[in-house]
Amino acid sequence: MSDSVFAQFTAADDQLAVALLVQPAINAALVHNRVPLVRHLTLVNRGAEPLADVTLTLELLGPDGALTEPWTRTLTAPRRPGASTGWDDISDVTPDRALLYRTDEAFPVDYRLTVEADDEALTLVAPSRVLAHNEWFNSPALYDSLAAFVRPNTRAVEAVLRSAAQLLLARTGSGALQGYQDGPERAELIAGAVYEALRQLEITYQTLPASFENTDQKVPTTAAVLDRRLGNCLDLSVTYAACLEAAGLHPFIFISEGHAFGGFLLEEERLGAVAVTETNLLISMVDSGRAVPVELTRIRPGAQSATFTEAVRVGLSHFRGEGHRLQGVVEVHLAHRFAIQLLPSADELVAPAPVDTETPPRRRSVARLPARCRRRGAAPARRRGRRGAAAVRRLACPHPAVFIREPWWPPTTRARLSRHVLP
């Protein structure tokens, strides 16, 4: 983890100087994943004489007293003038996880470092705070911790997947949510069905707070988002990612300046890192067709509601013109597999009645899956002149999730087609 996210505090007198590098806030997701709160502690002898028998005591104090046992070290060997001593292994200064899981509102705390030498004491106080259990700290160095809030194994996610399976069954004849087993075309169908299942719930979009970067942001569970029918772009992206991962896909959460949106890998592969912050690489991933971006704010009700097709088009627009606003992406599946443990979830939302995915239901317009989102060999629609529905083709394009609405499109390469599809 980069030191840039940590806050540095210093104190000095004629004899000693100390520096403490700590997290800007105590985050339940980071503690749950054993990320140390204190990155580094440094002691320097500023005096003209050697120092011996130096004792350091580090405490974490809350409004009601100590949150951890004190960390103590004693240096018996003399330290020559100008000598510096450092400590990196300070993992003992960690509050009880149960306390963090119970915390609903942030509260202030202090790191208090006391250094005693030659009957004199130097004290350093570093203010911090404990965040609520569902707060995420938005900083590029901590992007990977966002995956801890994506919980695919909940009853609320299962309810969304049952609706998605119903849509798939009606449109393709199969309600299977088999991830990448049947190739990228089926993967995009699954991603589209999950999006449309969420859109049917008419979740109202709520804007992010103005200070989104380098600050904390509460991330509700999928159950809370579906129960309240309310969520900002980050809430919706996390919810969509949870549903996609439960369906066997590899979801992304893209983070840009003041915004977040979802996406997924079109084929079963993985990135080289859980979090990627190189803008050119992010754009290349999308241009090459490896990643499909999806704008989740369009699942809202009303005139601004949009189909999966349009949501992908809007997602693609984030990579054109104002692509410099992109800040990073989190590959959720990779994070869960190798790095990040999920936060505990108390998902108590009563799931809707199970949907029968064996008998195809009558088709309804509310599904609104894009026209290209139908399996090959499906019964042709009503003829439309010489170039009827029988001539409708599924195109190999940089973003197969961007469904072409034209009744026919001549064969073309990925690069040529992208000029027609992308803004």
Side-chain angles (χ1 to χ4, degrees), residues 43 125 130 133 142 227 273 299 304 312 422:
L43 171 69
V125 177
V130 171
H133 69 278
L142 300 178
D227 189 30
I299 66 172
Q304 292 184 306
V312 173
L422 302 180

Side-chain angles (χ1 to χ4, degrees), residues 324-365:
H324 62 277
R325 297 184 61 198
L326 291 169
Q327 295 180 338
V329 67
V330 180
E331 187 189 336
V332 175
H333 178 78
L334 183 64
H336 289 168
R337 184 171 182 180
F338 293 108
I340 303 299
Q341 299 180 30
L342 304 180
L343 282 170
S345 175
D347 186 345
E348 299 297 335
L349 179 66
V350 177
V355 175
D356 181 7
T357 60
E358 298 298 327
T359 304
R362 185 180 65 181
R363 294 190 180 184
R364 298 179 297 171
S365 60

Side-chain angles (χ1 to χ4, degrees), residues 22-356:
V22 300
Q23 285 187 22
I26 299 174
N27 181 298
L30 298 180
V31 173
H32 183 72
N33 284 278
R34 296 183 174 85
V35 178
L37 301 182
V38 181
R39 178 71 168 180
H40 190 73
L41 190 161
T42 304
L43 171 69
V44 179
N45 179 7
R46 301 183 66 199
E49 301 292 333
L51 277 179
D53 296 325
V54 180
T55 301
L56 300 92
T57 304
L58 180 62
E59 302 171 281
L60 181 61
L61 305 175
D64 298 322
L67 299 180
T68 68
E69 293 295 325
W71 176 91
T72 302
R73 293 292 184 274
T74 299
L75 304 177
T76 56
R79 293 299 188 267
R80 59 179 176 78
S84 175
T85 305
W87 291 265
D88 292 321
D89 183 16
I90 316 180
S91 57
D92 293 342
V93 184
T94 303
D96 180 34
R97 293 188 189 184
L99 168 67
L100 299 180
Y101 300 153
R102 296 194 305 267
T103 302
D104 293 324
E105 296 295 336
F107 61 87
V109 296
D110 288 323
Y111 295 93
R112 184 182 296 273
L113 174 63
T114 303
V115 184
E116 297 175 297
D118 293 343
D119 298 327
E120 295 186 7
L122 173 65
T123 300
L124 167 64
V125 177
S128 185
R129 56 199 171 120
V130 171
L131 302 181
H133 69 278
N134 59 345
E135 281 186 289
W136 169 67
F137 195 87
N138 178 13
S139 172
L142 300 178
Y143 279 168
D144 53 357
S145 66
L146 181 59
F149 296 89
V150 181
R151 306 173 179 94
N153 303 315
T154 62
R155 296 171 61 195
V157 169
E158 290 178 356
V160 174
L161 295 190
R162 282 196 291 269
S163 296
Q166 180 186 27
L167 295 176
L168 282 170
L169 183 64
R171 184 64 68 177
T172 71
S174 170
L177 301 169
Q178 71 274 56
Y180 297 101
Q181 293 180 14
D182 284 352
E185 293 184 358
R186 183 67 184 183
E188 67 182 3
L189 286 168
I190 293 172
V194 169
Y195 174 91
E196 294 293 343
L198 288 172
R199 190 160 74 101
Q200 289 184 6
L201 297 176
E202 298 187 338
I203 302 172
T204 300
Y205 168 59
Q206 181 182 31
T207 59
L208 276 173
S211 56
F212 177 54
E213 287 79 22
N214 295 309
T215 186
D216 48 277
Q217 171 70 31
K218 286 191 175 182
V219 183
T221 64
T222 298
V225 171
L226 302 187
D227 189 30
R228 296 182 303 167
R229 300 291 197 272
L230 182 69
N232 59 41
C233 57
L234 183 63
D235 304 339
L236 300 177
S237 298
V238 168
T239 295
Y240 187 58
C243 296
L244 289 188
E245 187 172 28
L249 302 182
H250 295 182
F252 282 164
I253 299 177
F254 290 98
I255 300 169
S256 64
E257 183 181 336
H259 189 52
F261 55 100
F264 60 96
L265 282 168
L266 196 56
E267 298 190 35
E268 190 170 15
E269 56 175 317
R270 68 189 189 200
L271 302 183
V274 170
V276 176
T277 56
E278 186 179 343
T279 301
N280 289 338
L281 180 56
L282 298 180
I283 295 174
S284 176
M285 285 164 40
V286 173
D287 284 345
S288 65
R290 295 175 61 195
V292 179
V294 184
E295 178 56 65
L296 275 306
T297 61
R298 297 307 181 95
I299 66 172
R300 69 180 81 177
Q304 292 184 306
S305 179
T307 64
F308 180 59
T309 302
E310 186 59 28
V312 173
R313 290 186 186 274
V314 176
L316 290 171
S317 70
H318 296 305
F319 296 83
R320 297 293 179 269
E322 296 184 355
H324 62 277
R325 297 184 61 198
L326 291 169
Q327 295 180 338
V329 67
V330 180
E331 187 189 336
V332 175
H333 178 78
L334 183 64
H336 289 168
R337 184 171 182 180
F338 293 108
I340 303 299
Q341 299 180 30
L342 304 180
L343 282 170
S345 175
D347 186 345
E348 299 297 335
L349 179 66
V350 177
V355 175
D356 181 7

